[in-house]
Amino acid sequence: ETAISLGQILGVDAIITGSITNLGKNVKINARLISTETGSVFAVASVNVLKDSTIKLLMGESISNSANNTSNPSQIPQHSGLKAPVVNHGIQFELKECFFTNGFLTTIFEVTNLDMDKEVSFYDRAKNGYARIIDDKGREFRSPQQFLGTHKQGWNGIENVTMVQDVGTQYTLKFPNVKSKPSTVKRLDMLLFIPDLQNYFTITFRDIPVE
């Protein structure tokens, strides 16, 4: 009766109700559409949203600025990798190691899905895009061997792997035919494909020290 009364007052056909639950890194939103003619629920939806700076502001959470971070080391975001993590469409890449041995340059990442469970693919080649590195000598190396957890590279890469929310998985790239050790990888590109979005995304790291 309340929904019907509100519908008459507001002159609308439906009312949206729901809840927002704070899950730490994410926010869960539950929504229901209620008909103002019958008072019954005719549609429901639920989604997890990555809590970025915009969402934090909407929820009234404070966000420290860069000036405060500089003056107060305890406010500087901490990470255990060689470089700051890169996040693209809810998939976080944190570089853990980069080393040269026996003609291979190997990079090891921890990849974490910060969003809802989803399928992803890590391609070696697609639409003329390749996983590659360019070192401080200007040399470019492509077509690495790839490993994601227990998944090994197929013809095009690692395809259709289900990544569970907030579970970190080791992702290894081994670039062959590196005849001498570089001191720095100036650029590293990886190719991420998300089937739900039917789109490719390039993940880039720069100025990586080589052990």
Side-chain angles (χ1 to χ4, degrees):
E1 293 182 2
T2 302
I4 296 174
S5 300
L6 282 174
Q8 293 173 346
I9 295 171
L10 299 174
V12 295
D13 296 324
I15 296 173
I16 299 176
T17 66
S19 63
I20 299 175
T21 305
N22 191 342
L23 300 177
K25 294 180 180 179
N26 301 289
V27 173
K28 185 173 184 178
I29 301 173
N30 293 303
R32 296 180 298 169
L33 276 174
I34 302 175
S35 169
T36 56
E37 182 179 352
T38 64
S40 61
V41 176
F42 66 90
V44 296
S46 179
V47 65
N48 276 19
V49 179
L50 181 65
K51 195 199 295 182
D52 58 15
S53 58
T54 302
I55 298 297
K56 288 181 179 179
L57 286 173
L58 290 173
M59 296 184 68
E61 296 185 10
S62 61
I63 300 175
S64 57
N65 57 40
S66 58
N68 289 336
N69 285 343
T70 302
S71 61
N72 187 352
S74 66
Q75 293 181 350
I76 299 175
Q78 300 297 312
H79 58 87
S80 58
L82 296 177
K83 308 288 289 186
V86 172
V87 180
N88 195 312
H89 285 78
I91 304 297
Q92 174 178 280
F93 293 78
E94 184 171 6
L95 180 60
K96 294 293 189 179
E97 296 182 68
C98 180
F99 57 89
F100 172 81
T101 181
N102 298 327
F104 283 88
L105 196 146
T106 302
T107 58
I108 299 177
F109 295 83
E110 182 175 278
V111 180
T112 306
N113 176 19
L114 304 179
D115 205 343
M116 299 176 66
D117 297 0
K118 68 178 69 172
E119 280 195 352
V120 299
S121 297
F122 297 88
Y123 280 122
D124 172 30
R125 53 179 69 82
K127 293 187 176 179
N128 298 319
Y130 289 77
R132 66 171 184 173
I133 57 172
I134 300 174
D135 68 11
D136 55 350
K137 300 176 183 179
R139 299 177 300 178
E140 183 172 327
F141 302 96
R142 296 174 180 257
S143 300
Q145 301 171 15
Q146 300 187 68
F147 307 88
L148 179 68
T150 57
H151 299 274
K152 296 182 179 180
Q153 175 175 312
W155 175 250
N156 286 323
I158 300 172
E159 298 184 282
N160 302 324
V161 176
T162 299
M163 296 200 69
V164 178
Q165 182 180 8
D166 293 331
V167 175
T169 305
Q170 181 171 300
Y171 176 46
T172 302
L173 295 169
K174 297 184 68 174
F175 292 87
N177 304 317
V178 182
K179 294 182 179 180
S180 60
K181 177 185 175 182
S183 60
T184 307
V185 171
K186 300 302 292 183
R187 176 168 176 154
L188 164 63
D189 292 323
M190 297 169 285
L191 201 61
L192 169 68
F193 178 72
I194 301 179
D196 286 348
L197 301 177
Q198 284 297 300
N199 209 346
Y200 298 87
F201 305 96
T202 300
I203 313 300
T204 299
F205 282 79
R206 295 179 181 272
D207 298 319
I208 304 167
V210 180
E211 298 175 7

